[in-house]
Amino acid sequence: MPAVTCYKRVMNRIDRAGRDMNTTCDVLAGYRVVDHSEFITGPYAAMLLADMGADVVKVERPEGDDARKWGPPFLDGDALGFIALNRGKTSITCDLADKTEREALIERIGAADIFVHNLRADVPAKFGIDGASLTRRFPKLIYADLGAFGHTGPWKERPGYEPIIQAVAGLFSVNGDPSGPESRIGVSIIDLSTGMWTAIGVLAALAKRTATGHGSLVNTSLFESGLMWASNHIAGYSVTGKMPARQGSGHPSLTPYQAFHCTDGLLMVCPGNDRLWRKFAEVLGHPEWPDEPRYKRNVDRMKERDVLLPAIAEIMKRQNRAYWSAKLDAVGVPHGPLNSVPQVLELAQVAALAMLTKPYEGSPALFHGLPLSIDGERAGGPEKAPKIGEHNGKV
């Protein structure tokens, strides 16, 4: 099927699924958020709250969030990355150096429930919008401060971006094929997960405020998220004194648990326990393997992986992915093909979940709702992102 025809079919399927599913989730309706953040982490945290119904006012410098220029590609004059993380908000501008505008902003923060920012560490105190000052002045305020390396320690004022944190937190060292160089993880897991931790902290602080009547200061940072992602490797090293080698698609503690070449591409196969391993061995035509002492338990297979994995690979490469998928489905062994983005969009499951929307009429651009539903309602819908200062004087 031609690529254009296939893409149109996928878009039609996503459109139909979106119309059939309620995409309004307003569990935070009535809460007011002031979002004075830019780039990825802070805007994502605030958009999570907006997608759950909160009223979010994005505060930008007069020239706008730098992420508006992070393209191509662009849509409606702004970078797609900016749009993806700022939909459903209103936008006003504020020059912090202007006393009148700054005081108006502080009054707006005081009237809100939540203030989110990822300003450079020395900026808030300079303009009287630091956590200590605002939470003292507005005792019910939930103040969310997103930093680079944390709110304490010798690096607390050090700036940082996603790839720097991946490098410093050790994530480069455990990612990539062992035959190649260390590699950056290809999605912004540090930025996005820090936004998620911030939203989780804000929700916890809202629960605390309901019980006590008092707000909270919520601190998160990119580096702390990086340490969290590296935690399993840190734990292993702390016990063994050794770092496991990079595994490519494999796993440092499970065998077999990786992608294998078939005649038409790679198939990820994950028999995550000895029971599933027995079923996988039967599919491979070697039901005797799980009874051999060297392959019986995972700890034994780990010792023999240099022998076992090539033997499995030799068998898998003889058939295509559909053949192996049917066999593995029949016995319940988890598996899946290594898909490209276009192949992901072709999946019927993607359409059925109605997580992707097209908010811009006349544009094929797809944006995401949240990967959660509450009482059957998807959080996040087909909202657009605001233009710079679009709502000055209106909110």
Side-chain angles (χ1 to χ4, degrees):
M1 180 180 293
V4 173
T5 302
C6 179
Y7 185 72
K8 287 181 178 178
R9 182 191 67 185
V10 172
M11 294 302 101
N12 289 335
R13 184 187 295 164
I14 289 173
D15 284 344
R16 288 197 302 272
R19 288 194 296 270
D20 293 340
M21 187 171 186
N22 189 338
T23 56
T24 301
C25 180
D26 58 358
V27 292
L28 294 182
Y31 288 101
R32 290 173 292 180
V33 181
V34 175
D35 170 25
H36 199 330
S37 63
E38 59 181 357
F39 309 130
I40 296 177
T41 308
Y44 186 56
M47 197 182 80
L48 293 175
L49 303 175
D51 279 348
M52 289 186 280
D55 177 11
V56 179
V57 177
K58 181 177 178 68
V59 181
E60 303 185 63
R61 291 174 289 112
E63 60 270 30
D65 184 336
D66 283 340
R68 289 182 181 273
K69 308 179 188 71
W70 285 6
F74 293 95
L75 175 63
D76 197 27
D78 290 313
L80 259 70
F82 170 86
I83 292 172
L85 301 177
N86 288 281
R87 293 178 298 111
K89 304 176 185 179
T90 52
S91 171
I92 63 172
T93 58
C94 176
D95 180 358
L96 287 176
D98 184 300
K99 183 179 179 181
T100 300
E101 292 190 20
R102 182 173 69 251
E103 289 180 350
L105 172 63
I106 292 174
E107 290 301 319
R108 182 181 295 277
I109 294 170
D113 299 283
I114 301 154
F115 177 50
V116 177
H117 81 79
N118 61 353
L119 296 165
R120 198 178 67 236
D122 62 322
V123 170
K126 178 180 177 181
F127 292 108
I129 57 172
D130 55 287
S133 297
L134 290 189
T135 55
R136 182 169 55 249
R137 181 172 175 180
F138 307 113
K140 291 188 175 182
L141 178 67
I142 294 168
Y143 184 107
D145 183 349
L146 296 79
F149 283 93
H151 64 286
T152 188
W155 286 3
K156 66 181 181 180
E157 295 188 0
R158 187 171 181 171
Y161 285 101
E162 168 88 25
I164 296 171
I165 304 301
Q166 284 198 27
V168 176
L171 300 185
F172 269 60
S173 73
V174 299
N175 191 54
D177 191 271
S179 64
E182 297 174 342
S183 178
R184 174 185 174 178
I185 298 167
V187 295
S188 296
I189 63 166
I190 301 293
D191 284 327
L192 296 178
S193 63
T194 304
M196 292 169 64
W197 285 119
T198 303
I200 291 169
V202 165
L203 295 175
L206 283 174
K208 175 189 171 185
R209 191 178 74 174
T210 299
T212 67
H214 299 293
S216 299
L217 174 57
V218 177
N219 288 108
T220 56
S221 73
L222 303 180
F223 188 55
E224 288 168 276
S225 295
L227 291 176
M228 181 274 297
W229 286 114
S231 60
N232 190 48
H233 295 286
I234 291 172
Y237 175 79
S238 69
V239 172
T240 66
K242 298 179 181 179
M243 278 297 295
R246 285 178 284 128
Q247 302 295 326
S249 66
H251 193 282
S253 303
L254 293 169
T255 299
Y257 202 88
Q258 66 180 66
F260 294 97
H261 283 280
C262 303
T263 58
D264 59 347
L266 287 160
L267 186 71
M268 192 78 188
V269 185
C270 298
N273 55 50
D274 291 338
R275 299 183 303 280
L276 290 171
W277 157 240
R278 180 173 292 277
K279 293 180 179 181
F280 183 37
E282 291 171 356
V283 168
L284 293 170
H286 284 277
E288 77 283 1
W289 277 353
D291 294 320
E292 295 183 19
R294 60 178 180 161
Y295 296 152
K296 190 169 186 176
R297 300 175 303 160
N298 180 68
V299 66
D300 304 316
R301 296 191 295 276
M302 286 293 294
K303 296 175 183 177
E304 298 292 334
R305 66 190 308 166
D306 290 344
V307 176
L308 179 59
L309 293 178
I312 295 173
E314 179 62 32
I315 298 169
M316 294 287 291
K317 72 179 184 180
R318 298 170 189 167
Q319 302 288 347
N320 63 25
R321 293 189 293 189
Y323 172 89
W324 290 118
S325 182
K327 294 278 190 181
L328 295 170
D329 275 339
V331 296
V333 174
H335 66 282
L338 272 68
N339 284 330
S340 65
V341 170
Q343 290 170 327
V344 171
L345 290 177
E346 291 181 29
L347 297 175
Q349 184 65 17
V350 171
L353 290 170
M355 185 173 158
L356 301 175
T357 63
K358 295 196 297 182
Y360 287 82
E361 186 176 352
S363 170
L366 292 170
F367 298 98
H368 67 283
L370 296 194
L372 67 90
S373 299
I374 299 175
D375 296 329
E377 297 181 348
R378 169 76 62 191
E383 294 85 4
K384 295 182 179 181
K387 308 304 292 181
I388 302 172
E390 179 180 348
H391 303 92
N392 283 343
K394 301 177 183 178
V395 296

